[in-house]
Structures are given as C-alpha cells and as structure tokens.
Amino acid sequence: MENADQQVLSQLIRWVENRQMAWLCTVVKTWGSSPRPVGSLLCCNDQGHVAGSLSGGCIEEDLLDRLKNGSLAAEKPELLIYGATQEEVERYQLPCGGQLHVVIEPIPDQRHLQTLRQIVKRLEMRECIERTLDISNGSMTVEDKDRYRHLRFIGDFDQDSPGGKTLIQTYGPRYRLFLIGAGQVSMYLSEIARMLDYHVIVCDPREEMIEQWPIEGVQLVNDMPDDAVKIHANDHFSAIVALTHDPRIDDMGLMEALKTDAFFVGAMGSTRTSAKRRERLKMLDLSDTEIGKLHGPVGLPIGSKTPAEIAIAILAQLTALRSAKKEEVVSADFREVAAG
C-alpha cells in the first residue's frame, strides 16, 4: 500500500509520462494554526485534476485557478503565501490567523521523470531519499539517506527576496503498525491508525479470526506471528503490538519482535500480566536489554477501559514517541549545522 507522498508522486509521474502539464506543490512553512503540516504534498495538472492535499478547502480552488490562467509558476518554481492578511485568513478559512507557505514547481516535460521515479522507487523499498530543489531555476537533485530529516530551507524565502532559495526535503516510508491478533481492539486500532496514515498489518494464525475481519484497507496475514514479524515488520519504521491475550500467540510474536529494529514493541495486559509475560520471555533466551524494549502495559495511562479507549491510548503513546524522536532529529540537525 502506497503512503501519501508515494501516491502524489506516482500520479505526477503518470501525468508527465502522458505529456500533460503538471505541478508539484509542497507546504514549506506554517505559522499559527494551519490545515496541513510542513512537507505535505499536492500535485495537479492543467485539466484541474488533483492528488494530495494542502488544505482540503478554498486554497486548492484558488491555486488551480491561478495555475490555469498562467499567473503562477508558469516557467519556474514560485513561493505562494496564504494567510498573509486577515482578509486572506477569512477567505481561505485558515484557523486562528494561520499561514501556509507553499512552493509550486512546474513539471512541464519529461526531464525530471528519472528523478521522480528514483524517489518513488526508494519509497517502495521503505528507504529515505532527500531531494534538493533550486527554486531559481527548478533544477533538482536527489541523494539516498539513512534517516529522515525535517524539511529545511537555505536562503531567504520572502517573496520579494532577490537571493537564491533552496528547498531540501526528505521523503521517507510510511510508518507500519503490525498487530498480533484480529480481535476487537485491533479493529479500533486499525481504523484510527489508517486515519493517521499507518500501513496496518493484522496477523493472526487463527483462520476463523482472519475470515471474519470487517475492516477494509488492512493487510491480513494468516500466519504464525514470529514468522510474519520477520517478513513484514523488521525495520525502524515499524511498531508491533501484541493484542490476543493468548501467551501461545503473543509470546511467539514478541520473541521475534524484540529482536527486530522496530521503533516500538508493546503488549496489552495488566501490570500483573505484563510482569508474568516478562518472566516467560526470559525463559525464551531473550536478554534483559531486549525485554527492556517492551512497552507493557501498552498505551498511555489515560484510564482506558473499552476497546476504543485502549486503541486511543496506544496510538497516543506511538504519537508521543514519534514526536520525541523527531525532536531528537531536529536537535541533531541543528548540532550538525553549528558544527559545520
């Protein structure tokens, strides 16, 4: 299943291959409240077709109108600021005085096809790749990266600036949520996680559980969890959560999950159940360091009782952990700049 960036770039490639005039739009800066985060992508063509989103509202309509009449990014990339005035905030329905800065770059022919295909191929491999765009002339280069870095600028991005402007953006793989067990909590987790752009995989060796699974858009694996973890969730973009309450299934999956590069491994259960689980895992020849990676009981302590509340607590914990990791990356980037 393609992630959001992959969907946008794949559609852009198809338009360019068919020799249609197209544009790639990237949110490069936000101020205050904004409808979409930095790095969000949208592509559109001269027929008014769109893939991706910048706001889900009036901004897309205004952008298409400007592109169609040739008043924007006809020959080279341009920076467009929405919400610079109170009138624009009200017109484009931006909340709380928010601003959205968008780089619009024309892709008029096939000279960038190889670069775009390279990005998509890297995403298919669940690897990171960094694109550098010179806004003065539209030239771009790409470089493979081993980790995600936040979108950043070099140069002054004020609209009236005569200086050079460079956009550097890392495209990375979609986060994967691997759930052991096709029960009710997994159903709620799957629905909410899909809204958060996770690729959700549900693994259950019980065929009857897989057969009655009702949620669409989820990859189902009817296999033993230890084998499935090694195949589907063995990278640092994966989170693995055991949810069956059956030690014969959960422990088997956790035994392998704790040996992977997954950024998160959790298991549902009470404090007492979690303590007993750790004792069993020690008997499976896992080290204290490996067992120490286990989040159990899984989820933030919000007093959750129902399956839906438990799902919210788990995803809140994942969101907090991912945000903390991003902050670490930003701090590392600043340290690199200062040292360089």
Side-chain angles (χ1 to χ4, degrees), residues 257-330:
L258 292 168
K259 299 175 185 176
T260 69
D261 293 327
F263 79 93
F264 182 93
V265 180
M268 186 171 63
S270 66
T271 302
R272 182 178 178 182
T273 298
S274 298
K276 290 182 176 180
R277 179 184 293 114
R278 287 183 170 87
E279 291 176 3
R280 293 195 304 270
L281 291 173
K282 284 186 178 181
M283 299 174 64
L284 297 174
D285 293 330
L286 289 172
S287 68
D288 289 340
T289 299
E290 290 169 334
I291 296 174
K293 294 167 55 180
L294 179 64
H295 295 266
V298 71
L300 293 183
I302 61 174
S304 53
K305 300 294 183 183
T306 68
E309 291 171 345
I310 293 170
I312 290 171
I314 293 172
L315 284 167
Q317 187 176 27
L318 286 175
T319 301
L321 183 60
R322 285 176 55 181
S323 296
K325 286 184 175 293
K326 287 181 180 179
E327 290 299 326
E328 291 175 6
V329 170
V330 171

Side-chain angles (χ1 to χ4, degrees), residues 170-278:
T170 303
Y171 302 96
R174 189 179 188 180
Y175 276 91
R176 177 185 287 138
L177 180 58
F178 185 96
L179 304 178
I180 301 173
Q184 195 172 24
V185 173
S186 292
M187 294 177 191
Y188 282 101
L189 257 176
S190 297
E191 287 204 285
I192 303 173
R194 287 177 62 240
M195 298 177 193
L196 298 176
D197 203 29
Y198 281 92
H199 173 201
V200 181
I201 303 173
V202 174
C203 173
D204 203 310
R206 301 165 294 183
E207 188 173 351
E208 68 277 9
M209 297 296 289
I210 293 295
E211 288 178 350
Q212 65 186 13
W213 179 262
I215 310 300
E216 296 182 359
V218 172
Q219 181 179 347
L220 299 175
V221 178
N222 183 210
D223 203 350
M224 299 307 294
D226 53 337
D227 294 330
V229 162
K230 289 185 284 188
I231 295 171
H232 299 286
N234 191 11
D235 64 30
H236 55 280
F237 293 101
S238 296
I240 304 168
V241 185
L243 299 164
T244 71
H245 277 310
D246 185 339
R248 296 170 299 176
I249 299 175
D250 284 349
D251 289 4
M252 188 173 293
L254 292 172
M255 177 179 65
E256 291 299 330
L258 292 168
K259 299 175 185 176
T260 69
D261 293 327
F263 79 93
F264 182 93
V265 180
M268 186 171 63
S270 66
T271 302
R272 182 178 178 182
T273 298
S274 298
K276 290 182 176 180
R277 179 184 293 114
R278 287 183 170 87

Side-chain angles (χ1 to χ4, degrees), residues 11-83:
Q11 181 59 71
L12 179 64
I13 288 172
R14 287 192 288 270
W15 286 334
V16 177
E17 287 175 338
N18 292 328
R19 301 187 182 280
Q20 292 181 272
M21 180 63 193
W23 292 265
L24 178 62
C25 308
T26 306
V27 176
V28 296
K29 184 179 180 182
T30 61
W31 184 264
S33 298
S34 62
R36 295 286 285 150
V38 168
S40 297
L41 300 181
L42 173 144
C43 68
C44 55
N45 65 12
D46 55 5
Q47 303 299 309
H49 300 145
V50 171
S53 175
L54 299 179
S55 72
C58 297
I59 285 178
E60 278 87 344
E61 296 178 13
D62 176 79
L63 179 62
L64 286 172
D65 287 342
R66 296 194 194 197
L67 293 173
K68 284 181 180 179
N69 65 29
S71 63
L72 177 67
E75 297 181 357
K76 64 178 183 179
E78 292 187 33
L79 175 71
L80 190 60
I81 299 177
Y82 285 101

